[in-house]
Each structure stands twice: as structure tokens, then as C-alpha cells.
Amino acid sequence: MKRRAFIRAATLTAAVIATPVLRAARARIVIVGGGFGGSACALLLKHAQPSLDVTLVDPDARYVTCPLSNDVIVGARSIDSLTLTRAGLARAGVRFVRARATALDAEARSIRLDDGTRLAYDRCIVAPGIRFLWGTPEGYDEAAAETMPHAWEAGTQTTRLADRLRAMPDGGTFAISVPSGLMRCPPAPYERASLVAEYLARHKPRSKVLIFDANNRFPRQEAFTTAWDTLYRGRIEWIPVTEGGAVERVDVRAGTLHTSNGAHRVAVANVIPPQAPGQFALDAGLASGHGWCPVDPATFASTRVPHVHVIGDACIADAMPKAASAALGQARQCAAAIVASLAGREPPEPAFESVCYSALALDRAFAIRLRFRVANGHVEAEPNASEADSTPSVAEREAAARWYRSIRAAAFAA
């Protein structure tokens, strides 16, 4: 009897120990948002634990990358070259659901889709990207963006701005309006100005670029302005907020931008509106009072909703930029933390790297390379992290092309 009791107790103990492991292996992961962060996290989870049930939800069957989209504006590449399908996710065993997520039920742990379907989850990852704060500047809404494209989400807006550039008369002004506050890829407006200036020098030599900036400084300003002085002397004018650079109102019909210094009529207006997390993050209660989504930087778990993680542009990652390479680093840490949590382990020690390439011309670029660590609950840039030489070079432009191929592969298996 004692022997039989021992065997029965041992069997029950083994079952109790194995049950969490079995449940972890079959855990349901729902990812909302199929950009660089969401797609990369899906692939990483399947690679780390192939038995996980991973579902990615996004309304678009294809994704157009923002990296290198400025090349499309100046005719250096096609929009098709930046357009990716979800085929790589399917090959990896990720289930793709083409739908829009409309609500998160934290108590029931489910996501409601726009067709009424509900997806249950054990862990949810929210990577909704950005939304635009329409109405800033005054008069700039979705209808205005048809005439004054922002091109801050790659796709139709990108090709529309490219068409506007090609059609502008020689002698016209190409204006870029840069918002204040946190935004996707902060150096990109200045890269855009550089490439447009090169295009104008070749095709519309009497034209120039005006940058109306609601800020007093911008990333790697010295590197940009030195290159502009060398390559495009007199063709790019940067107007900071202290000199009336903030666009306060737009008149779409008249093609005019209004600042504190008066009205500026331009041939092409590229108005970039201020940004906030995607609407789903706001509706799900993931955003804080100042707009973005607070997370634990060791796991990217939301500090507001349990069993939910937020990665990519929508989250508060302190010193990390809102950029594709940052989203990939966050996806790696988030995926590793979820796998560890499901197995009852501590998450790995976080360490992040980010690289951003800025083109100064079609044949030259410079890189911004940074490393980050988590200290005192915040992501900080390592003080001794080395950055590449700010001098634009052909080698860095070639490195940018290799980097782009690598992030496509990492996020989309493409």
C-alpha cells in the first residue's frame, strides 16, 4: 500500500510540475500590429518556442517600409521595392489575420476584431505604430494631406509626394514642416531635405528647400549642416522655432504655410503632423496621460494592463529612438522575456543597440550607432558607446543598403 501510494503521489507531482510547462509550450500569443516590431516579435517567438500559438493581426496584407522611402520621393527606387508580404511569417508558422483590432478585454484576455471575432490570448503584444494628431497645424487634416502629403507612413503618401516634387516648377520652393515632440525617425526630415536638394540641383536648379522647424535643434545637426554647406550651398534653409519656424496654420487652397513671421506660399508643402501611439493603444488603456505607453524596459510589459506588452514606436523607451532598428531590439527583448516568463524563468538582462543611417545624397550617408542599457528602471544610452564618423561616405551608403536587407529579413523573413 505504501509503495502504491508513493507511486500515485509521485505521478501526481510530476503532472503538476509538467502542466505549466505544457501550457507554456501551447500558450496563445496575439500580436496587434505588423510593422517591424510586431512582425519581428512573431518570428522570434516561433523560433524560440515553435509550439507557441502565435497570431499576428494587421489590416494590411502588405507592409511598406519607411526606411529608404525618401529614396522613392526622389525617384531613386520604386515603392514596390519597399513593399513586403506576410509570406515569410506564414512559412515560419505564424498565423496572419487580416483585420483591424478594435478592443482589448483585459479581464477576459481577448482581442476583438472589426468583424466581431474574438481572439483569446495568454500574452498580447501591442505594436500599433503611430497615429497623427490631425488639426495641428490648424487646417491640416486627412483631406489636406491629399494636397500637402506628409509621407510619414510609407505607401500612397510617399508616391503622392514624389509626384508633387516632379510636377513642381523650376524656381518653386519645396517646404518641409517638422513638428515638435516625440516622432518617428527624428533625423528623417533632414535626410529628406538633403535628397530633395540633390534632386533639385539636377532637375530644377532654380528651386530650393525650406525646413520650417518647431524645434531649436535636430539630431546630428552639425553633420547635416556641414554637408549642406558643402553639397547644397544656399539650396537648403533651416528655420528654427525661435526664428518663426513653427507652422501654425495651412491654407491648402492657396498653397500657403502660416508662421509667426507671416504667410509663405510654396510649390510643394510636405507637412509632417505631430504624432502619438496608434489608436488601438489609446483605446486599450495602454497610453499614459502624456500620450505614449509606459512599459517595464526589461520585458516591455505594460505598466497599465497586465499580460500585455507594448513595443515599437508606441512605447516609452526613454533614450531609444522611435525607429526600425530600435523596434527590432525591443522585439528581441520582449520575445525572450515572454518565453522566459512562460517557463517560470527570469527575463534575460536587457541590452540594446540601434543604428540609423541618414543619406546626405544618393551616393553617401552617415550612420548613428548607439548602445543602450537599463538602469534605475529606464533605458539609457551608454556613455561610452561609440558612434560612427559623421562624415558622409559612399561606404556608409552601401552599409545602409546591407542594413536594410538585414532588417527586412529579421522582421519579415523576406
Side-chain angles (χ1 to χ4, degrees), residues 33-98:
F36 277 101
S39 294
C41 204
L43 291 173
L44 288 160
L45 285 164
K46 288 299 288 186
H47 178 75
Q49 181 61 268
S51 59
L52 289 174
D53 180 359
V54 180
T55 300
L56 181 106
V57 179
D58 194 279
D60 298 315
R62 289 176 171 79
Y63 180 76
V64 185
T65 68
C66 283
L68 298 193
S69 62
N70 283 335
D71 285 9
V72 175
I73 294 169
V74 297
R77 65 169 55 235
S78 70
I79 199 71
D80 289 344
S81 70
L82 306 182
T83 303
L84 305 173
T85 71
R86 312 293 182 176
L89 296 173
R91 288 193 299 269
V94 175
R95 182 164 68 106
F96 175 67
V97 175
R98 186 180 181 184

Side-chain angles (χ1 to χ4, degrees), residues 11-268:
T11 302
L12 288 172
T13 301
V16 169
I17 292 172
T19 297
V21 176
L22 182 62
R23 288 176 180 168
R26 296 177 179 175
R28 299 160 299 179
I29 314 293
V30 175
I31 302 172
V32 177
F36 277 101
S39 294
C41 204
L43 291 173
L44 288 160
L45 285 164
K46 288 299 288 186
H47 178 75
Q49 181 61 268
S51 59
L52 289 174
D53 180 359
V54 180
T55 300
L56 181 106
V57 179
D58 194 279
D60 298 315
R62 289 176 171 79
Y63 180 76
V64 185
T65 68
C66 283
L68 298 193
S69 62
N70 283 335
D71 285 9
V72 175
I73 294 169
V74 297
R77 65 169 55 235
S78 70
I79 199 71
D80 289 344
S81 70
L82 306 182
T83 303
L84 305 173
T85 71
R86 312 293 182 176
L89 296 173
R91 288 193 299 269
V94 175
R95 182 164 68 106
F96 175 67
V97 175
R98 186 180 181 184
R100 188 176 299 280
T102 58
L104 183 149
D105 187 331
E107 187 174 348
R109 292 201 208 177
S110 69
I111 300 294
R112 188 174 72 239
L113 308 182
D114 52 5
D115 63 0
T117 301
R118 288 183 179 270
L119 299 176
Y121 65 81
D122 295 295
R123 296 287 190 278
C124 178
I125 301 160
V126 177
I130 58 170
R131 76 180 191 280
F132 297 116
L133 300 178
W134 299 112
T136 305
E138 180 186 342
Y140 193 73
D141 55 17
E142 291 183 78
E146 300 291 311
T147 303
M148 296 179 168
H150 54 76
W152 222 240
E153 285 181 331
T156 302
Q157 276 281 307
T158 311
T159 56
R160 183 171 290 131
L161 185 57
D163 291 342
R164 300 279 295 173
L165 174 61
R166 283 195 297 271
M168 71 177 275
D170 190 9
T173 297
F174 186 103
I176 302 174
S177 171
V178 184
S180 61
L182 294 173
M183 64 182 292
R184 168 180 285 171
C185 198
Y190 314 98
E191 175 191 77
R192 182 172 293 177
S194 305
L195 294 178
V196 169
E198 181 184 41
Y199 174 90
L200 295 177
R202 293 178 177 177
H203 302 286
K204 304 176 192 291
R206 295 188 296 114
S207 295
K208 65 180 296 184
V209 179
L210 289 181
I211 306 172
F212 292 97
D213 205 329
N215 304 283
N216 276 327
R217 296 278 302 169
F218 61 88
R220 300 302 282 273
Q221 184 169 340
E222 291 76 13
F224 275 108
T225 54
T226 298
W228 292 344
D229 191 53
T230 302
L231 300 171
Y232 313 117
R233 185 183 295 270
R235 197 173 295 278
I236 299 176
E237 182 180 353
W238 175 66
I239 307 170
V241 64
T242 51
E243 297 176 16
V247 174
E248 299 169 347
R249 180 169 66 88
V250 304
D251 184 333
V252 176
R253 185 167 296 180
T256 303
L257 306 179
H258 293 264
T259 73
S260 61
N261 282 342
H264 307 266
R265 185 160 188 175
V266 299
V268 177

